[in-house]
Amino acid sequence: MRTIVIDGVFFQENEWSGIAKYWRTILQELDITAAAKKDLRVFLLVRGKSQSLRNAGFEHIHVLPIAYFDPVCALSDFHELGQLCKALKAAVFVSSYYTLAYGVPNIGMAYDFIPEAMGWMDNHIWKIKEIYMHSLERSLSISYSTAHAASLYYPNLISGDDDIFYPPLSPEECFPYGGDAVRKLRVKYALNYPFAAVVGHREDYKNVDLLDQALRSRPSHAKALPLGVVATAGKPLTPAEIELYQKHFQFGVRRVRLDSDEMPIFFRASEFLFYPSLLEGFGYPVAEALAQRCPVITTGATSIGEILVHAQPDDYRIISGHDGHEALQAFIYMLHSRKRASAATAQRIQSRFGKIEPDRFLQRLFELASITALPRTPHLEACLSLDGVLA
């Protein structure tokens, strides 16, 4: 019997981000796979409320509720996880977010190295990440860009092409939604005008504030663009920002909160996606938009290029992400183009990113577990006490 233990710790913090979405898909596929493999046991550790895991209705994954993870108690948590894994006779332990199990093979997960690039590592949780990454020998990554960054920030990590597991698009994200679905969405959110989609926080590396810069670069007497802007995430718009958008866009700006199953329809309805991110572990929105034949303005930075390589050049517009005037010109180009991304691009995106390959995922975990060293205890205990991160 081969046993894998997965710590669903990420879900205690955020059940609806890209990482949670990634793991929900993996777990759903593993639940199906476990039914067919009589020599496989999968244990899922559920922390805190984590309602989406508790209510997932897994039939073949064994769900074990355990204590809430607190970074202050990291070392004792890592010891207890090791004892639990030994009791379960685990061949490998993998965490959804920076927890370790002493005394058993640990295979890491690398999503991105944005905190390292942005200089955020003094934050408590990122210190735990740093300890986690330094304590491992092997790691899976969600893109080649992420794997490359791992080798730069944590040279102790060994990773190869077989260790790349892209976040998968769901069947719903690949479904070719028709006019009825789009009309219902437009009616529900009163989107009875052409609009550009903006996804991402309006700060830091997501770089959405570049659009504000673009609008301020326009002449004050310039005619409003026949378009609206609809944002789905990020901090609320200020009155000054709303006034700026109303001045330069005929239909102003809106911020709406969409359900996850509405996002693909939102992209289908959009004229184009504006996504000027400078750092990405993968870049879900770019793949989601292109799968729905929504053209994209983006930087192509870090892992985004790994998505765009599957798209036809006319289906996206690359900008530097540092020049507001350049971003505005891309807006105007897309506005005049009024062209949907090609069916060929949508098909290639869906073919490349529309599957998780659970058999390959499991096979690689067990392969790596058989050759990897245990977490480096001396490094851990030099950085942690039973009361948390040492100063």
Side-chain angles (χ1 to χ4, degrees):
M1 182 68 68
R2 300 182 302 166
T3 299
I4 175 176
V5 175
I6 300 171
D7 188 355
V9 62
F10 183 81
F11 288 79
Q12 79 172 24
E13 299 295 336
N14 190 330
E15 299 196 61
W16 306 112
S17 75
I19 294 174
K21 176 180 173 182
Y22 181 54
W23 273 105
R24 274 197 300 272
T25 305
I26 289 176
L27 291 167
Q28 288 163 2
E29 293 295 327
L30 289 181
D31 192 45
I32 296 169
T33 302
K37 294 184 181 294
K38 303 305 180 185
D39 65 338
L40 174 68
R41 290 193 308 169
V42 179
F43 288 93
L44 173 64
L45 310 183
V46 177
R47 310 259 197 166
K49 293 182 179 179
S50 300
Q51 292 298 336
S52 61
L53 292 188
R54 291 174 180 269
N55 300 331
F58 297 119
E59 295 184 8
H60 303 282
I61 289 177
H62 304 278
V63 176
L64 297 179
I66 66 168
Y68 190 94
F69 176 67
D70 186 341
V72 170
C73 306
L75 186 60
S76 56
D77 187 271
F78 297 168
H79 276 295
E80 290 169 5
L81 287 178
Q83 293 168 0
L84 177 60
C85 286
K86 289 176 183 177
L88 296 173
K89 296 181 169 57
V92 59
F93 173 83
V94 59
S95 177
S96 61
Y97 215 60
Y98 314 144
T99 54
L100 294 158
Y102 273 11
V104 296
N106 283 237
I107 305 303
M109 291 296 303
Y111 308 110
D112 62 67
F113 294 93
I114 293 166
E116 288 85 348
M118 296 294 293
W120 296 339
M121 297 307 289
D122 286 339
N123 179 285
H124 210 57
I125 190 61
W126 301 133
K127 283 293 184 184
I128 294 296
K129 176 187 179 182
E130 186 176 30
I131 293 164
Y132 171 85
M133 290 295 177
H134 276 305
S135 304
L136 297 170
E137 184 178 271
R138 301 275 181 170
S139 177
L140 307 181
S141 298
I142 65 169
S143 67
Y144 287 96
S145 173
T146 294
H148 176 66
S151 69
L152 296 177
Y153 289 107
Y154 303 100
N156 53 289
L157 287 176
I158 301 170
S159 183
D161 288 357
D162 291 339
D163 302 322
I164 307 301
F165 289 86
Y166 285 115
L169 297 175
S170 68
E172 293 76 19
E173 288 165 331
C174 297
F175 187 80
Y177 293 95
D180 285 346
V182 171
R183 279 191 290 274
K184 288 179 182 178
L185 183 90
R186 286 185 177 278
V187 169
K188 180 177 179 179
Y189 294 102
L191 298 173
N192 57 342
Y193 50 83
F195 64 89
V198 174
V199 179
H201 294 286
R202 300 175 52 77
E203 53 193 11
D204 294 327
Y205 66 94
K206 289 297 184 184
N207 200 30
V208 177
D209 285 342
L210 185 69
L211 185 53
D212 295 19
Q213 298 174 30
L215 298 182
R216 292 189 179 96
S217 73
R218 294 192 82 211
S220 59
H221 61 274
K223 186 176 180 181
L225 299 173
L227 194 69
V229 173
V230 180
T232 65
K235 63 185 181 183
L237 292 153
T238 66
E241 287 174 321
I242 292 172
E243 182 181 356
L244 178 68
Y245 281 79
Q246 288 176 336
K247 179 179 179 180
H248 292 284
F249 288 101
Q250 183 178 342
F251 302 103
V253 63
R254 291 267 311 280
R255 185 171 180 267
V256 299
R257 187 180 296 276
L258 301 173
D259 295 334
S260 58
D261 58 352
E262 293 176 319
M263 284 301 297
I265 309 172
F266 175 71
F267 285 128
R268 179 69 70 162
S270 304
E271 298 295 312
F272 56 88
L273 167 67
F274 181 65
Y275 197 75
S277 178
L278 300 173
L279 294 166
E280 286 294 329
F282 176 61
Y284 253 127
V286 175
E288 290 176 286
L290 291 172
Q292 289 299 325
R293 300 189 61 186
C294 176
V296 175
I297 299 173
T298 188
T299 60
T302 56
S303 60
I304 296 174
E306 296 174 46
I307 301 170
L308 296 181
V309 73
H310 300 286
Q312 293 186 355
D314 288 347
D315 294 337
Y316 60 88
R317 189 88 169 174
I318 293 290
I319 59 174
S320 68
H322 300 286
D323 184 336
H325 179 72
E326 179 191 38
L328 180 59
Q329 291 305 307
F331 252 74
I332 293 171
Y333 171 85
M334 286 289 190
L335 181 60
H336 287 295
S337 172
R338 298 284 186 177
K339 175 181 173 293
R340 302 303 293 169
S342 65
T345 286
Q347 182 59 49
R348 284 197 293 269
I349 293 293
Q350 292 167 17
S351 296
R352 183 63 186 90
F353 303 112
K355 54 190 175 185
I356 188 58
E357 303 175 295
D359 288 332
R360 185 172 80 86
F361 182 79
L362 286 169
Q363 179 182 349
R364 192 58 181 157
L365 283 181
F366 288 121
E367 284 176 354
L368 294 178
S370 69
I371 61 174
T372 190
L374 302 183
R376 297 194 291 167
T377 304
H379 175 82
L380 284 165
E381 293 182 348
C383 300
L384 291 173
S385 71
L386 288 175
D387 294 322
V389 179
L390 292 173

